[in-house]
Amino acid sequence: MEASVHILFFVLTWLACAILYLSHRHQGWLAQPLAATPWRAVGAALLLLALGCGLAAFSAITAVFGWLMLLMLAFSVLPFFSLWIKRMRREQQA
């Protein structure tokens, strides 16, 4: 049970960050960003759910620290995936 909550904490945090990133107008993954109105609310709800999972699996200070570090890592790394996606598209066209 504990391991599944740890994995859920990790996956929900990354999924929420990806949804929030994809709803921004400067995202580079999709041709058009996701609609801001429903998707940003979904991303925020998933972030809170992930924090709840973290609080269930870890002590409070550990959960908040890990959650904030995952947010920082995700929002730093996600924009760079657009470079990889563009490279894959170029290779498929060639």
Side-chain angles (χ1 to χ4, degrees):
M1 175 71 179
E2 270 306 303
S4 63
V5 177
H6 293 131
I7 293 169
L8 191 60
F9 169 66
F10 184 78
V11 169
L12 284 176
T13 303
W14 276 93
L15 181 63
C17 290
I19 289 173
L20 289 173
Y21 173 72
L22 290 174
S23 68
H24 195 269
R25 64 183 172 148
H26 294 295
Q27 60 85 23
W29 293 11
L30 305 173
Q32 294 291 324
L34 297 176
T37 304
W39 289 107
R40 288 186 185 164
V42 169
L46 287 176
L47 280 179
L48 292 175
L49 184 62
L51 181 60
C53 289
L55 290 170
F58 305 109
S59 66
I61 191 71
T62 305
V64 171
F65 178 77
W67 185 67
L68 290 173
M69 290 302 107
L70 279 173
L71 290 176
M72 184 177 66
L73 177 66
F75 286 127
S76 297
V77 170
L78 287 174
F80 289 104
F81 284 127
S82 65
L83 299 174
W84 181 64
I85 291 171
K86 288 178 184 176
R87 184 177 183 187
M88 296 293 287
R89 288 180 184 159
R90 254 186 278 133
E91 289 177 1
Q92 286 178 351
Q93 290 176 354

